[in-house]
Amino acid sequence: MDTRAIRCFLQVYEKRSIHQAAKVLFLTPQGVSRIIGVLEGELQARLFVRTPKGVVPTREGDYFYEHSRSFSAQLLRLQLGIQELKRQQQGLRVGFACGVLHVISIEKLQGAAARHPEFRLEWAEDFNENILELLQEGTLSCGFCVGSRAPEGFFRRELFQAPVEAVVYPGHLLYDRDSLSLEDLKGEPLLCLNEHFSIYHNVVERCGDFGFTPHFAVKTMESSLIYQFCQEGRGIGIDAAIHPVEAPLRQIPLRETSPWQVSFVCPQNRAEEPLFQELLAVCSQGK
């Protein structure tokens, strides 16, 4: 079983589409289908059911996803570690928590790195908890993380924050409200990012403060699905106000939630280095 097959499977699973996965992987849909077919043959299990609208994971596919996702993170650590051993010049290895690239400009970061030719820029995107672990291991030089915490011995500076808001479809009783309390969401089917994202825990903890457990009708890894399912009237979306919302959907402020925060994190003893200071300066300007 090779790493390409696992990456291919993860993309198909998360996109629910062979064609969409092929675009991300820079492969043909036929190539993706062939890789998945070989993987299914190796596992002697069907991972997806093909439908006219895309693919649907089987129980075996769900099981393989839950276990291969953590394995993929371990492979990323191994690959970065091997690159470090082979590196002939000092590298700038930057981690981005999922979602951060919506508000941080890679182009500006590349421009800052280009002014320091002694460094070679490399970057990786992963779940926030994995980026923090890679920072602690020393595999990453710095990271753009979500949340208000940093590991002990690390420097953190907040660069960006956005409110967490409800996305409401027309015809819903809450559609015309100027703002909402979390109590207004009690019993409502909610559409939200899953447990790997800070917004999910933000909502669960704050709803707990009001004495109820929120009902998540959908927990996803793709923000775009929140808006798609909301448009279909499947529930109220919960997301940071970092994506454009197309009419007739409305994004309504949630009064009691903590803001979605993006911070620059690096080892404390490197925070004053000129390159890191320049990264802070250009990334503080946003996109």
Side-chain angles (χ1 to χ4, degrees):
M1 187 182 302
D2 61 32
T3 58
R4 185 179 68 160
I6 294 175
R7 289 197 300 271
C8 186
F9 167 81
L10 292 173
Q11 286 295 332
V12 173
Y13 186 98
E14 291 167 8
K15 300 295 184 187
R16 295 296 199 270
S17 166
I18 287 175
H19 283 78
Q20 291 299 318
K23 291 179 182 178
V24 173
L25 296 165
F26 299 102
L27 296 172
T28 64
Q30 294 81 6
V32 171
S33 293
R34 185 163 51 251
I35 292 170
I36 295 298
V38 170
L39 181 61
E40 289 178 323
E42 187 172 349
L43 295 171
Q44 298 185 4
R46 194 173 186 183
L47 301 175
F48 298 104
V49 175
R50 280 70 168 174
T51 74
K53 293 184 178 180
V55 295
V56 178
T58 62
R59 290 180 62 187
E60 291 84 356
D62 287 332
Y63 179 86
F64 187 69
Y65 176 77
E66 287 302 317
H67 290 77
S68 63
R69 187 160 43 82
S70 59
F71 180 56
S72 178
Q74 292 174 352
L75 284 177
L76 174 61
R77 294 189 184 95
L78 286 172
Q79 290 166 349
L80 291 173
I82 290 172
Q83 289 171 14
E84 174 66 19
L85 293 175
K86 294 171 62 177
R87 188 168 286 106
Q88 296 180 354
Q89 60 175 318
Q90 188 176 12
L92 175 66
R93 302 170 305 283
V94 184
F96 293 89
C98 294
V100 166
L101 288 173
H102 288 291
V103 298
I104 297 293
S105 169
I106 278 286
E107 289 75 18
K108 289 182 178 179
L109 188 147
Q110 289 173 324
R115 292 188 283 274
H116 296 263
E118 69 274 21
F119 291 94
R120 182 174 59 193
L121 176 65
E122 302 169 2
W123 62 275
E125 185 180 28
D126 206 333
F127 294 121
N128 193 64
E129 63 263 33
N130 291 337
I131 295 298
L132 290 170
E133 287 180 13
L134 291 169
L135 283 167
Q136 290 177 285
E137 292 173 4
T139 307
L140 293 174
S141 309
C142 60
F144 293 87
C145 302
V146 174
S148 58
R149 69 181 182 90
E152 186 177 353
F154 280 76
F155 167 87
R156 183 187 78 87
R157 179 175 296 174
E158 183 180 312
L159 299 176
F160 177 88
Q161 69 171 240
V164 174
E165 300 191 336
V167 184
V168 186
Y169 57 88
H172 194 283
L173 292 175
L174 301 176
Y175 183 77
D176 293 320
R177 298 277 290 274
D178 293 327
S179 67
L180 294 172
S181 167
L182 282 172
E183 287 187 296
D184 294 321
L185 304 182
K186 187 173 183 179
E188 293 283 348
L190 303 181
L191 319 170
C192 188
L193 293 171
N194 67 21
E195 290 89 343
H196 287 285
F197 297 85
S198 64
I199 287 178
Y200 171 88
H201 298 285
N202 183 355
V203 171
V204 169
E205 290 171 8
R206 296 299 287 126
C207 287
D209 293 338
F210 285 88
F212 72 94
T213 300
H215 165 50
F216 292 104
V218 172
K219 293 185 287 186
T220 180
M221 296 177 61
E222 294 285 342
S223 290
S224 60
L225 291 179
I226 294 174
Y227 299 89
Q228 176 186 324
F229 293 151
C230 185
Q231 186 78 53
E232 295 170 2
R234 299 193 188 189
I236 293 178
I238 305 292
D239 197 18
I242 59 173
H243 303 103
V245 178
E246 297 183 4
L249 296 180
R250 286 195 65 216
Q251 207 164 28
I252 304 176
L254 282 170
R255 294 192 294 270
E256 297 92 3
T257 52
S258 302
W260 184 78
Q261 299 175 326
V262 174
S263 297
F264 175 80
V265 177
C266 72
Q268 188 72 51
N269 60 4
R270 300 193 65 184
E272 298 301 321
E273 291 184 16
L275 175 56
F276 284 6
Q277 288 297 307
E278 188 167 349
L279 292 181
L280 274 171
V282 298
C283 292
S284 295
Q285 301 165 10
K287 283 197 150 184

